[in-house]
Amino acid sequence: MRISLFLTSFGLGISIFLLGLQLLGRAMSGILGARLRAFLLRFTSTKVRSLMTGLITTGLVQSSSVVNSTMVVMVDSRILSMRQALGVILGANIGTTVTAQIMALSVEKLALPLVVGGLLLVFLAKRPALGTAACSLGAVFFGLEFTTRVLAPVLKHPVVQASLVQLTETPIRACFVGAMLTALAQSSSAVTGLTIGLTRQGVLALPAAIGVALGSNVGTVLTTLLASIGRSRASKATAYADFLFNLGGVILVLPIYPLFLRLVQLLSAQPARQVAHAHSVFNVITALVALPLLDNLATLAWAGAGIRLRNKNK
């Protein structure tokens, strides 16, 4: 009975999230006129501006999954190019590392006001396009928060935590566990927060904890990939590039893992803070490395999306 309730709740959260994205894409086509297009193009006109836009936006909404998924929608709607969207995604990956430090705004607190405000815009202000956009964005926030809340008891269960310790004996296995947990929870912040808590309690050793935190960067891409389902090749390539970027960063760090650990240990003497710093340092360094190579990453992702589409059509 509990399993049935869990699966139903999990499916409901995913469905609300995907429906919200679908409605958001349709609403954006109606409200994004020439002026707003020019505004977006202005703040994503260069790679650095795109990165800063993603960083600041994610800091405000506290969800890189929402920002990155919205980029997929924007590319699908031809509002932004894939290169512009990828710059924003790089910034979002950095922005999500400071989410826990910004407590003024939270997804669950924004969801209801957005939905109510959207309904008021639709029925009182007679602004259906803008109201639908607000409601759908609230649905996206609610879907992510609802899914995370459903999975939270699972992640905190003693049996799951004990298994987590056994499954993180090596850096590669720790990264894999982090990726799988985040793919389920759809929140790298939730998994990283749990990892920091286990490290503070002495349950997880520092090398294992940092491995889980690094793996969470790969697992969080599942939300972006889900958002690209049924969309154009460009939007699929955008999601695929997000996956390549995060996976490539982890692959590059693993051979120098002991060196990376020493670097993180220099930043703080507290293990819990070291895990948080590792998450931030990883995303900042990989973003700075990937930014000059953004065009090459876009080309590779476009080719990969083309191969996936051809295989699907066979």
Side-chain angles (χ1 to χ4, degrees), residues 262-277:
R262 291 195 193 99
L263 172 64
V264 171
Q265 288 171 331
L266 292 174
L267 300 176
S268 176
Q270 300 178 13
R273 287 188 175 274
Q274 289 170 354
V275 176
H277 290 330

Side-chain angles (χ1 to χ4, degrees), residues 170-173 175 211 214 248-258 260:
T170 67
I172 295 178
R173 289 171 67 178
C175 288
L214 296 185
V250 171
I251 291 175
L252 289 175
V253 168
L254 283 176
I256 57 169
Y257 198 69
F260 183 74

Side-chain angles (χ1 to χ4, degrees), residues 11-270:
L12 178 62
I14 291 289
S15 299
I16 293 173
F17 170 74
L18 291 175
L19 178 60
L21 276 177
Q22 187 70 26
L23 292 174
L24 180 62
R26 293 179 181 178
M28 283 165 54
S29 299
I31 65 175
L32 287 176
R35 290 184 180 180
L36 189 50
R37 286 175 186 270
F39 175 82
L40 289 170
L41 292 173
R42 176 186 174 187
F43 285 96
T44 56
S45 58
T46 67
K47 296 175 182 178
V48 175
R49 283 188 175 186
S50 296
L51 185 144
M52 293 305 299
T53 298
L55 193 159
I56 294 170
T57 304
T58 305
L60 291 174
V61 303
Q62 295 196 46
S63 176
S64 62
S65 296
V66 169
V67 174
N68 293 351
S69 298
T70 302
M71 288 303 102
V72 170
V73 176
M74 284 190 164
V75 171
D76 188 54
S77 304
R78 299 183 179 181
I79 297 164
L80 294 178
S81 69
M82 188 169 71
R83 182 190 63 78
Q84 291 172 306
L86 290 180
V88 174
I89 287 173
L90 292 183
N93 289 341
I94 299 175
T96 193
T97 65
V98 297
T99 297
Q101 301 175 19
I102 304 175
M103 304 300 294
L105 297 173
S106 60
V107 168
E108 68 272 14
K109 291 181 180 179
L110 286 174
L112 183 58
L114 280 170
V115 172
V116 173
L119 292 175
L120 292 175
L121 285 169
V122 172
F123 294 107
L124 296 182
K126 305 301 181 182
R127 301 290 297 274
L130 187 59
T132 302
C135 284
S136 57
L137 187 58
V140 170
F141 287 162
F142 177 79
L144 282 175
E145 177 63 20
F146 183 80
T147 306
T148 302
R149 285 183 178 274
V150 168
L151 289 165
V154 178
L155 292 176
K156 294 178 181 178
H157 195 280
V159 175
V160 175
Q161 292 187 355
S163 301
L164 184 63
V165 174
Q166 295 178 357
L167 292 170
T168 55
E169 293 178 346
T170 67
I172 295 178
R173 289 171 67 178
C175 288
F176 180 78
V177 169
M180 292 298 101
L181 285 176
T182 307
L184 287 173
Q186 296 186 61
S187 174
S188 61
S189 296
V191 173
T192 303
L194 173 63
T195 304
I196 290 173
L198 292 175
T199 306
R200 184 179 292 111
Q201 297 169 14
V203 177
L204 272 182
L206 182 64
I210 290 179
V212 172
L214 296 185
S216 70
N217 292 283
V218 179
T220 195
V221 182
L222 176 64
T223 305
T224 314
L225 293 172
L226 284 173
S228 70
I229 294 175
R231 300 189 183 275
S232 65
R233 179 181 176 183
S235 61
K236 291 181 184 296
T238 302
Y240 188 51
D242 187 22
F243 172 73
L244 289 177
F245 165 71
N246 287 283
L247 179 62
V250 171
I251 291 175
L252 289 175
V253 168
L254 283 176
I256 57 169
Y257 198 69
L259 198 63
F260 183 74
L261 288 180
R262 291 195 193 99
L263 172 64
V264 171
Q265 288 171 331
L266 292 174
L267 300 176
S268 176
Q270 300 178 13

